[in-house]
């Protein structure tokens, strides 16, 4: 059963706008600012920065996986069961 209720479609649009207008640009700016500070602070030789970069890279990978999952879930061929009044 495909859910075509208005509320479900509204949430899909809101989620897409949130991702494209806020989350993705914020992640890009954060990456650029972090790399800029690390480069000009000469912190690439410190071990803590390597650990931090690995964790941030892992978080970015999870973000990419969740974005792909959301895109697949909202594809027209996907079937979603919801309780629309």
């Amino acid at each position: 059963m495909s859910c075509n209720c208005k509320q479900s479609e509204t949430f899909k649009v809101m989620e897409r706008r949130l991702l494209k207008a806020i989350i993705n640009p914020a992640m890009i700016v954060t990456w650029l600012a972090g790399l800029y500070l690390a480069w000009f602070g000469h912190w690439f030789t410190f071990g803590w920065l390597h650990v931090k970069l690995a964790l941030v890279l892992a978080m970015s990978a999870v973000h990419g996986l969740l974005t792909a999952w959301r895109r697949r879930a909202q594809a027209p061929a996907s079937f979603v069961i919801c309780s629309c009044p």
Side-chain angles (χ1 to χ4, degrees):
M1 166 189 258
S2 178
C3 181
N4 292 323
C5 64
K6 189 173 183 172
Q7 185 180 21
S8 175
E9 295 303 315
T10 301
F11 283 130
K12 287 180 184 179
V13 170
M14 289 170 52
E15 188 176 18
R16 189 184 78 245
R17 286 182 182 171
L18 177 69
L19 190 67
K20 288 187 176 200
I22 297 174
I23 297 173
N24 285 342
M27 185 177 68
I28 292 169
V29 168
T30 302
W31 263 103
L32 293 175
L35 291 174
Y36 173 81
L37 289 172
W39 181 261
F40 287 104
H42 305 288
W43 293 336
F44 280 109
T45 57
F46 295 107
W48 64 267
L49 185 65
H50 297 141
V51 173
K52 185 173 184 171
L53 283 174
L55 292 172
V56 171
L57 188 62
M59 284 181 16
S60 296
V62 169
H63 169 75
L65 290 172
L66 291 175
T67 301
W69 183 38
R70 182 200 60 85
R71 190 174 295 133
R72 276 195 310 266
Q74 291 183 354
S78 69
F79 292 98
V80 178
I81 297 173
C82 68
S83 57
C84 301

